[in-house]
Amino acid sequence: MLPWVYGFSWETGQIVFLTIFYSVVGILIASCGLAAVRALRDLKSKNLDGIRWHVDFNDLGDFARTCRHVFTGDVSDRICPNGFDCRTCRFHREFAATKIAAGEATAGMAPDREMSRGLRMPLDRLYHRGHTWVRKEADGTLTVGLDEFGKRVLRNGASAELPRAGSMLTVNGKGWFLLKDGSRIRVLSPVDGKVVETGGPGSRFYLRVAPPDDRDLRHLLNGEEIRPWITREIERLQMALASEEVGIDLADGGELVEDLTMNYPDADWDGVWREIFLEP
Amino acid sequence: MDRHLVARGAQRAPFRRFALWIAPWAVMLVLGAYAIYLCLSKGLNQTNMDNRFAFGLWIFLDLSIIALGAGAFFTGFLVYIMKRHELRAVLSSAVVLGFICYSGAILILMVDVGQPLRAWFTFWHPNVHSMLTEVTFCITCYLTVLAIEYAPILMKNRKLKDIPAFLVFEFELHKVMPILAGVGTFLSFFHQGSLGGLYGVLQGRPFAFREGIGIWPTTFFLFIVSAVAAGPSFILLTTWLVSKISGKRLVTDNVSRLLARISGILLIVYVLLKSVDTLGWLNKTVPEFGLSGMSFFLWAPFNVWILFLEVVVFGLVPALLLLAGNKQLRVGWLVFSSFLVCCGILLNRFVMTIQTLSLPTLPFDKFMLYSPSWQEVAAFLFVVAYGVIVYSLSFRYLRLFPQEAGAIRLQGD
């Protein structure tokens, strides 16, 4: 094993064998050591939210990670590779440029388009895939709230654990927590910026945020994307609620009932909420 | 009761039913632990092995589960090195199975060594000219690799994931997984081969002895190819079994068919190599010993049928079914073929271990049959029970099949 250990001899077979063995052990120790050192560095850094989102996003099913351009029929099938951050996506940039060139616009859509499968999703705001909305205010701030789908899934009795005014938010980082029936559900922040005011479940909004000067909201859904997105979200909810024996048993084309939790008392609601709010 | 620990989106049986499932295996585990205690405290006289039959049930078990556990390294190789990402659907399960197989093999080897407190001698004073030394080093290192690969799966448990230290370590470990998959592949190739080489170099046992390339007899290569052929079949078979027992659809059909196709291709290669090797052994190696090849098949129950069963029934037939029927046959047939493949690998390892030692080698030798003692059987069952319990716990509390939650939607694929 080692030159001073009984039985060791400086012969080719011994040297080759032990060199290979020590190399393998060295690679294993180095790989784990590297992972441990990086993990310590990550713990000290302030990027824990980013890592959590990266891990969660990769754990989501393919259906949940569908690219927004599938909703509008730009492509037939595509999985988002960017953690829903379209700001850095070349694919999204190219499609957006094509649409602008073609003169397609979403402004001035009829009010009835605000209804998506019985859910009111006003078109004066932008939507995040984690079921929050963002509205640009006249003073330059952004108000953030929970969309109708998110509210319907949680229904009554949810309280919120909101960040303090002055806290910094990052896109897809921790926005706030919803507390219901012993579950603590993380809601993703749809925007970057500093929290200037907080609301809550009983208020018009949850957060008011002062975005950075170079604010970029291209990652948020809007206009024509909303209705197909909600349709798919209802399918995702059906999947999360489906019993093993029966499969998906909500009628296609139906609307969400007012209080889902009452209608599915035996469901693993903690699992359902986390699935819907993208925390698998 | 334990719902907060079950993976989100996964529906599992009530805890009471799970406990009832575990109970008989736990009893078997306790009985096996007692047998192991007897072997360790009183010595190997508790077994029916002797100087003639130095390899018995335990070595057969070791060889078999190491061969079946090859699915772990081979799936890792296919996912991380060959970029067959669709096999991620079974990767975690393969890692858990590999970990169970290798840890079970090492555990039973510790008992088989007789003096486990001196097991470290093999590392400290290695005989580098022995195939067994290579096997010992490789399976120890590979078990370490599997333990490292198992760690991120564990750390993804619903509760553990909430602990930041586990979250970031799991995240960073994932980045080095391709390196570990490469190391695992390297180690597996060598120890699978060396296990075969172990028999091929036995000049005093003409039934097992083989010529080859350089220092490596043909059994070195045959063991590698047979293990990588059986690995995907074992993954397919276990996935189907778990699916039936749990009543859940765990993977989509295209994953099962891909595993079947890979296994089929490799099995055809194996059957071809095995046939050439057998013919070469019958017509060249054995005559050079001054013996007739067929003389080894005169001793019941090891007549020529066993060769036919191994090569044709458990080799050629499933290979053709897996390959030719890959697209046409129902998944059930592919699972049945995989079952035959796994039987084939067990029979091959049985023949190499037991038939080799049973046959007389000297004029005054007698044909011997060996039957294991109850302690050997109980220790064998200990490993089986250990495997079932570890896998059951992993399946219940960890996300072994990422397609499980979404598979319902895909019914009818």
Side-chain angles (χ1 to χ4, degrees):
Chain A
M1 188 75 168
L2 294 165
W4 56 88
V5 174
Y6 170 76
F8 182 90
S9 61
W10 290 99
E11 55 180 84
T12 314
Q14 189 116 8
I15 303 300
V16 170
F17 182 87
L18 291 177
T19 304
I20 293 172
F21 170 68
Y22 287 130
S23 302
V24 167
V25 172
I27 291 170
L28 291 183
I29 292 172
S31 302
C32 290
L34 185 69
V37 169
R38 281 176 170 173
L40 282 174
R41 194 191 56 197
D42 292 341
L43 274 177
K44 285 180 188 162
S45 77
K46 303 216 162 135
N47 191 30
L48 211 56
D49 277 356
I51 291 172
R52 192 176 288 280
W53 171 240
H54 181 92
V55 172
D56 284 346
F57 182 75
N58 284 315
D59 284 347
L60 287 170
D62 287 353
F63 192 69
R65 289 186 293 155
T66 304
C67 170
R68 64 194 291 179
H69 290 283
V70 175
F71 303 157
T72 45
D74 297 333
V75 284
S76 59
D77 189 26
R78 185 170 188 266
I79 305 295
C80 172
N82 286 336
F84 296 148
D85 193 351
C86 314
R87 297 172 301 179
T88 55
C89 178
R90 189 177 56 84
F91 186 81
H92 177 66
R93 206 164 42 238
E94 285 169 7
F95 261 105
T98 312
K99 285 194 168 182
I100 290 167
E104 290 179 33
T106 56
M109 290 170 65
D112 69 312
R113 310 284 304 230
E114 294 191 347
M115 294 304 289
S116 297
R117 299 286 294 271
L119 299 170
R120 188 166 177 276
M121 306 291 282
L123 296 172
D124 63 342
R125 54 198 78 177
L126 306 166
Y127 292 88
H128 184 261
R129 302 280 288 263
H131 291 291
T132 47
W133 54 256
V134 177
R135 191 172 57 207
K136 298 171 194 169
E137 303 296 341
D139 62 357
T141 59
L142 304 169
T143 45
V144 176
L146 202 62
D147 71 18
E148 182 75 10
F149 184 92
K151 281 183 189 165
R152 199 73 74 90
V153 170
L154 281 161
R155 198 52 192 161
N156 298 319
S159 58
E161 203 176 273
L162 298 166
R164 269 180 282 180
S167 316
M168 294 303 292
L169 300 178
T170 54
V171 170
N172 295 328
K174 182 174 59 200
W176 67 92
F177 289 98
L178 291 168
L179 310 171
K180 179 158 169 135
D181 300 343
S183 294
R184 189 167 177 264
I185 308 138
R186 179 209 59 196
V187 178
L188 293 170
S189 168
V191 291
D192 292 322
K194 185 197 265 186
V195 178
V196 291
E197 191 185 348
T198 58
S203 172
R204 241 175 2 95
F205 61 91
Y206 276 74
L207 302 174
R208 198 156 63 81
V209 178
D213 293 338
D214 57 341
R215 74 175 184 198
D216 186 347
L217 303 176
R218 281 177 297 167
H219 59 292
L220 299 173
L221 304 177
N222 63 76
E224 292 285 4
E225 293 171 314
I226 310 300
R227 189 175 285 196
W229 169 56
I230 287 296
T231 303
R232 290 178 77 98
E233 286 299 283
I234 289 176
E235 280 184 55
R236 214 154 65 79
L237 178 65
Q238 288 173 329
M239 279 192 273
L241 283 170
S243 73
E244 295 280 336
E245 295 78 17
V246 183
I248 300 171
D249 53 359
L250 287 178
D252 284 348
E255 293 180 2
L256 287 184
V257 294
E258 283 294 317
D259 194 341
L260 273 173
T261 50
M262 283 282 287
N263 285 276
Y264 283 86
D266 296 329
D268 174 12
W269 276 103
D270 181 59
V272 174
W273 290 326
R274 287 174 192 269
E275 175 68 28
I276 295 302
F277 289 100
L278 308 177
E279 192 187 5
Chain B
M1 184 177 170
D2 60 344
R3 202 174 191 176
H4 60 290
L5 291 172
V6 172
R8 290 186 184 109
Q11 293 179 8
R12 295 289 177 263
F15 184 76
R16 181 189 289 260
R17 206 193 303 170
F18 179 69
L20 281 174
W21 158 257
I22 290 292
W25 301 107
V27 171
M28 201 186 277
L29 196 78
V30 171
L31 179 71
Y34 176 64
I36 288 172
Y37 162 75
L38 286 178
C39 294
L40 293 179
S41 61
K42 297 191 174 179
L44 290 177
N45 60 359
Q46 300 293 301
T47 74
N48 281 348
M49 289 184 285
D50 53 26
N51 290 339
R52 165 80 181 269
F53 249 107
F55 287 178
L57 179 67
W58 291 342
I59 293 295
F60 159 66
L61 173 73
D62 278 336
L63 292 180
S64 302
I65 58 178
I66 283 178
L68 295 173
F73 96 81
F74 195 55
T75 311
F77 170 76
L78 290 170
V79 170
Y80 291 113
I81 315 283
M82 303 304 288
K83 307 288 181 199
R84 296 306 302 253
H85 293 297
E86 55 270 54
L87 290 180
R88 278 186 192 277
V90 290
L91 183 60
S92 297
S93 175
V95 167
V96 174
L97 285 170
F99 178 80
I100 290 167
C101 288
Y102 278 80
S103 53
I106 288 185
L107 187 112
I108 212 74
L109 271 177
M110 293 285 281
V111 185
D112 206 354
V113 163
Q115 298 217 35
L117 292 179
R118 293 186 186 174
W120 59 277
F121 275 31
T122 190
F123 299 100
W124 203 242
H125 307 289
N127 170 14
V128 298
H129 304 293
S130 164
M131 291 277 185
L132 263 182
T133 302
E134 196 184 322
V135 171
T136 312
F137 275 63
C138 281
I139 61 171
T140 312
C141 287
Y142 187 50
L143 180 62
T144 312
V145 171
L146 283 167
I148 299 169
E149 288 179 341
Y150 195 1
I153 301 170
L154 271 176
M155 285 188 270
K156 277 208 168 173
N157 170 265
R158 190 170 177 163
K159 285 291 165 194
L160 293 180
K161 201 169 119 179
D162 287 340
I163 301 168
F166 286 144
L167 177 84
V168 292
F169 193 45
E170 186 265 328
F171 172 70
E172 295 297 348
L173 268 180
H174 257 297
K175 294 182 183 170
V176 298
M177 278 304 159
I179 301 172
L180 297 177
V183 172
T185 304
F186 172 81
L187 291 169
S188 295
F189 265 93
F190 272 92
H191 71 249
Q192 296 286 358
S194 293
L195 282 170
L198 190 71
Y199 292 101
V201 297
L202 294 176
Q203 290 232 23
R205 300 273 176 190
F207 179 73
F209 178 74
R210 295 289 190 280
E211 291 161 301
I213 304 164
I215 58 169
W216 296 289
T218 53
T219 45
F220 182 94
F221 305 101
L222 287 173
F223 264 51
I224 294 174
V225 182
S226 60
V228 293
S233 272
F234 185 58
I235 303 286
L236 177 56
L237 182 64
T238 46
T239 304
W240 179 85
L241 265 178
V242 176
S243 176
K244 286 292 161 197
I245 292 170
S246 65
K248 314 241 172 341
R249 190 152 188 255
L250 303 173
V251 295
T252 50
D253 284 358
N254 59 344
V255 173
S256 303
R257 291 186 188 280
L258 178 62
L259 284 169
R261 194 167 73 239
I262 293 168
S263 192
I265 293 169
L266 291 163
L267 196 61
I268 278 284
V269 175
Y270 171 71
V271 170
L272 195 69
L273 291 176
K274 172 80 181 171
S275 305
V276 171
D277 172 69
T278 306
L279 288 173
W281 173 77
L282 281 171
N283 295 302
K284 183 172 178 290
T285 312
V286 177
E288 282 176 2
F289 275 101
L291 300 165
S292 152
M294 293 316 288
S295 65
F296 295 102
F297 297 99
L298 297 174
W299 308 89
F302 303 121
N303 302 114
V304 78
W305 66 268
I306 208 162
L307 188 63
F308 177 80
L309 195 66
E310 186 192 336
V311 178
V312 179
V313 180
F314 292 153
L316 190 62
V317 171
L320 292 176
L321 282 173
L322 290 170
L323 260 187
N326 188 269
K327 284 184 182 154
Q328 292 83 17
L329 290 177
R330 293 174 63 178
V331 171
W333 277 101
L334 301 179
V335 172
F336 174 68
S337 308
S338 298
F339 172 72
L340 292 182
V341 178
C342 293
C343 288
I345 204 94
L346 297 182
L347 182 63
N348 175 263
R349 278 19 176 196
F350 177 81
V351 163
M352 294 304 284
T353 308
I354 305 299
Q355 191 174 354
T356 298
L357 295 178
S358 289
L359 295 170
T361 52
L362 296 168
F364 50 83
D365 262 354
K366 287 181 183 164
F367 176 79
M368 281 184 71
L369 269 179
Y370 142 93
S371 58
S373 66
W374 76 263
Q375 290 92 332
E376 285 176 83
V377 175
F380 175 98
L381 293 177
F382 176 90
V383 175
V384 175
Y386 155 78
V388 172
I389 290 172
V390 171
Y391 192 90
S392 300
L393 290 169
S394 300
F395 178 71
R396 186 170 179 84
Y397 298 118
L398 309 173
R399 192 184 289 274
L400 296 190
F401 297 96
Q403 287 183 343
E404 181 184 359
I408 297 168
R409 186 178 168 273
L410 299 166
Q411 272 172 0
D413 274 10

